[in-house]
């Protein structure tokens, strides 16, 4: 049923986008966006740069525009009266069955909480249905089937009262009293949990047992997890969690008959910013009184626990975290940026034998220092044209060895994953089939001669060339002409060489799928090739020392740079802090995408130090300060296979129906697509020996094929 246009939406808030502009061999460029509020427009171009993270900075970015978060206001809400309709329709022919799908109730495309709900559910691969409560009347028929099966196993409210403003500016709920009663009756009948992503503590439309503490509202605070909160956020550490650029309402408990409230997060004054609450009718609810946004650190850190609580740890899809780092151009010489002159010296540095031995030891030290990354392994994308296959296998070559790096490469080969980057590093935008095949196959032959354990199905093209992102004329910036403008002959050669997975650039819009953040992209020129996006960062390709890295960055974004952004030149420590916070956010969003750097960044500029391992250590230090969830590192062949499986699931999941019997804790899964094929399915919270099962965060994640005949799996709810 369609509703009349009864209200206007609240101004969108915190509509921040993680937009990275970067090229393969240059710092990423900060992206300008329109302001996210109509009441406080941006006053200067610098303020238009969006930011994120603990300190509110984007790579190359200034502090974010705080006006959007300051306008993230809610308040006492009036619930429109209904017609007094009874919810008795729920009580006929109900079952103990619910489908593993989440209902998202929102107030339209401008709803500030909608992007958060979408992001958290997509990261976990959880199917969901959105209902715009300003346009659709909520009825029992939307919530349970004619056979008495509940259609949703969890409910997300973008704000606790689904707040909009009427023509006078007063806060009203988009649902009337009948609709709220319908929703509550459903949640009670099917034991479905409700998550409010942002809420003003009040008694309507229902009371959580919390009240705001006047005068404590702010856009910045720190919170810690309470002892009781560890049942919801078991992975979070005792460190204070920073909430930045997000308006929040600190609260205190208030006695409410029949309501039991458990604080989850408290600020330094002891005020509550998140709590679970049991309603008088037994329904379970969780409310956050700080605004959320998927590009903010606190939202991503809380997201895993929130989704597990909402679904009781049983849902379609899966969530894991990854630390993948690619380093391009092993064996090649590196350009070097001179911070004193601002000039680049072409080919001025070549990664050396001692650098390689030290890098192996630095990697081992990182594993020992950070148990959460105990299987961390750098992936080296190599160009074999300068390698000497006849070099001896030794980590201590003497002066008689023609190419010391080749000798040491043989010695440290087992320490890294190796990925084909072509023999000569020629751009492949217009390369012929024959030349492309020669570049790939010859490099594989060199790998075999050197004894490199190379990933055979993965490939990194030089500068992500051949994928439709190229310079239209010499000396001009690269442009995104789309994957259709790529090199089909190169892709055909790659396929014939056994390649199935090709690295793409996440900063190029056509080379990743914003609607499916965990999906690879099937090449439109060759359906047998899957593109796996890689994250750029601001460690310049032509930098080998801290002075060069900071100087390169400041030459662009410092006050005297080509794109002035900061009010001072950043020190190396400040630069590294900004970059590491972005790296942490990439980890938290659950994608398996590698961050890519370049071989000059691996120079041992001081004993046991390199720009690459400095970045890795900074990321791991920031991450482990807040979370105890382990980080996965996969070899490229395994990474490609994982991305292929997750991509297949994401494309099929709307035709996968999973029904959970709450009485028996058995889940029936069926694929409703073509009868003669099976779909890839992920199920979290299983207690099954079927398929392939991995344990992560204390939960079993099962991957298996499922067809029209279906499968029956036992589950263990939290």
């Amino acid at each position: 049923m369609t509703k009349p246009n009864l209200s206007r939406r609240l101004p969108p808030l915190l509509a921040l986008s993680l937009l990275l502009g970067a090229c393969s061999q240059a710092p990423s460029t900060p992206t300008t966006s329109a302001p996210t509020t109509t009441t406080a427009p941006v006053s200067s171009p610098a303020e238009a740069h969006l930011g994120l993270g603990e300190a509110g900075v984007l790579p190359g970015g200034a502090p974010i525009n705080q006006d959007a978060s300051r306008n993230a206001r809610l308040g006492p809400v009036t619930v429109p009266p209904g017609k007094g309709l009874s919810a008795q329709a729920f009580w006929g022919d109900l079952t103990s069955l619910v489908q593993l799908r989440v209902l998202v109730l929102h107030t339209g495309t401008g709803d500030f909480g909608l992007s958060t709900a979408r992001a958290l559910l997509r990261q976990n691969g959880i199917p969901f249905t959105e209902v715009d409560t300003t346009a659709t009347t909520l009825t029992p028929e939307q919530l349970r089937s004619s056979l008495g099966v509940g259609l949703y196993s969890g409910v997300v409210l973008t704000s606790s009262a689904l707040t909009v403003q009427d023509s006078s500016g007063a806060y009203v709920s988009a649902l009337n009293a009948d609709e709220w009663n319908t929703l509550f009756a459903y949640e009670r009948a099917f034991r479905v949990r409700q998550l409010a992503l942002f809420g003003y503590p009040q008694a309507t439309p229902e009371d959580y047992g919390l009240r705001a503490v006047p005068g404590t509202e702010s856009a910045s605070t720190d919170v810690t997890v309470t002892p009781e909160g560890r049942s919801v956020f078991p992975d979070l550490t005792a460190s204070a969690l920073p909430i930045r650029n997000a308006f929040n309402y600190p609260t205190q408990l208030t006695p409410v008959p029949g309501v039991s409230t458990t604080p989850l997060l408290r600020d330094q004054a002891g005020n509550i910013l998140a709590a679970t609450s049991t309603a008088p009718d037994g329904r379970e609810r969780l409310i956050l009184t700080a605004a959320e946004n998927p590009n903010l650190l606190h939202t991503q850190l809380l997201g895993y626990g929130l989704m597990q609580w909402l679904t009781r740890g049983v849902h379609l899809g899966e969530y894991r975290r990854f630390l993948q780092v690619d380093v391009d151009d092993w064996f090649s010489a590196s350009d070097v940026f001179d911070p004193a002159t601002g000039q680049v010296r072409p080919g001025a540095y070549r990664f050396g034998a001692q650098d390689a031995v030290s890098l192996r030891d630095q990697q081992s030290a990182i594993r020992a220092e950070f148990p959460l990354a105990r299987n961390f392994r750098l992936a080296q994308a190599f160009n074999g044209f300068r390698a000497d296959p006849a070099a001896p296998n030794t980590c201590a070559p003497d002066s008689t060895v023609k190419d010391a790096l080749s000798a040491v490469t043989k010695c440290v080969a087992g320490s890294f994953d190796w990925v084909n980057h072509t023999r000569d590093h020629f751009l492949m935008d217009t390369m012929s089939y024959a030349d492309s095949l020669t570049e790939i196959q010859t490099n594989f032959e060199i790998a075999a001669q050197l004894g490199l354990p190379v990933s055979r199905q993965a490939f990194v093209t030089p500068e992500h060339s051949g994928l439709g992102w190229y310079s239209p004329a010499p000396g001009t910036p690269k442009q995104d002409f789309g994957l259709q403008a790529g090199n089909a002959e190169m892709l055909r050669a790659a396929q014939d060489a056994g390649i199935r997975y090709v690295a793409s650039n996440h900063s190029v819009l056509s080379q990743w799928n914003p609607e499916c953040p965990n999906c690879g992209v099937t090449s439109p020129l060759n359906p047998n090739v899957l593109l796996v996006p890689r994250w750029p960062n601001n460690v310049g390709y032509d930098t080998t020392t801290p002075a060069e890295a900071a100087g390169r960055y400041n030459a662009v974004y410092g006050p005297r740079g080509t794109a002035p952004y900061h009010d001072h030149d950043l020190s190396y420590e400040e630069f590294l802090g900004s970059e590491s916070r972005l790296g942490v956010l990439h980890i938290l969003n659950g994608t398996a995408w590698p961050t890519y750097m370049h071989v000059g960044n691996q120079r041992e500029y001081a004993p046991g130090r390199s720009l690459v391992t400095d970045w890795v250590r900074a990321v791991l230090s920031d991450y482990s300060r807040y979370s105890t969830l382990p980080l996965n590192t996969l070899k490229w062949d395994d990474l490609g296979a994982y991305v292929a499986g997750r991509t297949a699931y994401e494309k099929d999941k709307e035709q996968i129906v999973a029904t959970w019997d709450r009485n028996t804790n058995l889940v029936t899964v069926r694929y409703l697509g073509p009868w003669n094929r099976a779909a890839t399915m992920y199920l979290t919270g299983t207690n099954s020996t079927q398929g392939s099962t991995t344990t992560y965060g204390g939960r079993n994640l099962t991957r298996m094929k499922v067809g029209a005949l279906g499968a029956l799996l036992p589950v263990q709810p939290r």
Side-chain angles (χ1 to χ4, degrees), residues 279-424:
D281 61 3
R283 292 180 303 109
E284 297 179 72
R285 308 153 309 172
L286 193 157
I287 187 172
L288 303 163
T289 62
E292 304 301 322
N293 183 277
N295 295 326
L296 295 178
L297 179 64
H298 75 274
T299 297
Q300 289 291 357
L301 284 167
L302 296 174
Y304 174 73
L306 292 175
M307 293 298 100
Q308 293 300 303
W309 178 88
L310 174 67
T311 63
R312 301 180 188 270
V314 176
H315 61 80
L316 283 173
E318 65 148 32
Y319 175 86
R320 287 190 277 167
R321 294 176 183 165
F322 297 84
L323 178 61
Q324 305 280 153
V325 180
D326 289 1
V327 185
D328 292 356
D329 306 339
W330 187 284
F331 291 122
S332 297
S334 299
D335 298 345
V336 176
F337 174 79
D338 186 337
T341 65
Q343 301 300 308
V344 175
R345 293 178 287 132
Y349 170 77
R350 187 177 183 230
F351 187 66
Q354 175 54 37
D355 296 322
V357 173
S358 176
L359 185 67
R360 176 201 62 187
D361 297 340
Q362 291 170 48
Q363 180 175 270
S364 296
I366 286 172
R367 292 174 176 175
E369 186 178 350
F370 298 99
L372 295 179
R374 61 173 53 93
N375 70 341
F376 172 69
R377 178 186 298 258
L378 293 165
Q380 304 289 346
F382 67 98
N383 309 107
F385 73 103
R386 293 184 64 173
D388 178 14
N393 183 341
T394 176
C395 275
D398 59 32
S399 60
T400 65
V401 174
K402 178 181 176 182
D403 183 52
L405 178 58
S406 295
V408 172
T409 297
K410 289 184 175 183
C411 176
V412 303
S415 297
F416 308 113
D417 182 27
W418 299 89
V419 189
N420 198 327
H421 196 34
T422 72
R423 178 186 183 275
D424 294 291

Side-chain angles (χ1 to χ4, degrees), residues 4 24 43 82-83 144 154 161 332 350-351 390 398 462 491 541:
S24 65
S43 59
K83 298 180 179 179
R144 57 112 174 97
S332 297
R350 187 177 183 230
F351 187 66
D398 59 32
L491 294 171
Y541 85 99

Side-chain angles (χ1 to χ4, degrees), residues 602-613:
Q602 295 184 141
R603 176 183 182 180
E604 187 188 26
Y605 71 80
R609 300 287 298 274
S610 67
L611 300 182
V612 166
T613 57

Side-chain angles (χ1 to χ4, degrees), residues 417-475:
D417 182 27
W418 299 89
V419 189
N420 198 327
H421 196 34
T422 72
R423 178 186 183 275
D424 294 291
H425 203 280
F426 296 145
L427 297 186
M428 308 184 82
D429 297 306
T430 59
M431 188 176 288
S432 69
Y433 169 87
D435 288 346
S436 298
L437 189 62
T438 296
E439 281 290 320
I440 298 169
Q441 288 184 330
T442 304
N443 213 40
F444 274 136
E445 292 167 5
I446 293 170
Q449 293 166 348
L450 293 170
L452 303 183
V454 64
S455 285
R456 295 290 309 187
Q457 294 183 300
F459 178 44
V460 180
T461 66
E463 296 186 29
H464 298 110
S465 55
L467 302 178
W469 179 59
Y470 56 84
S471 300

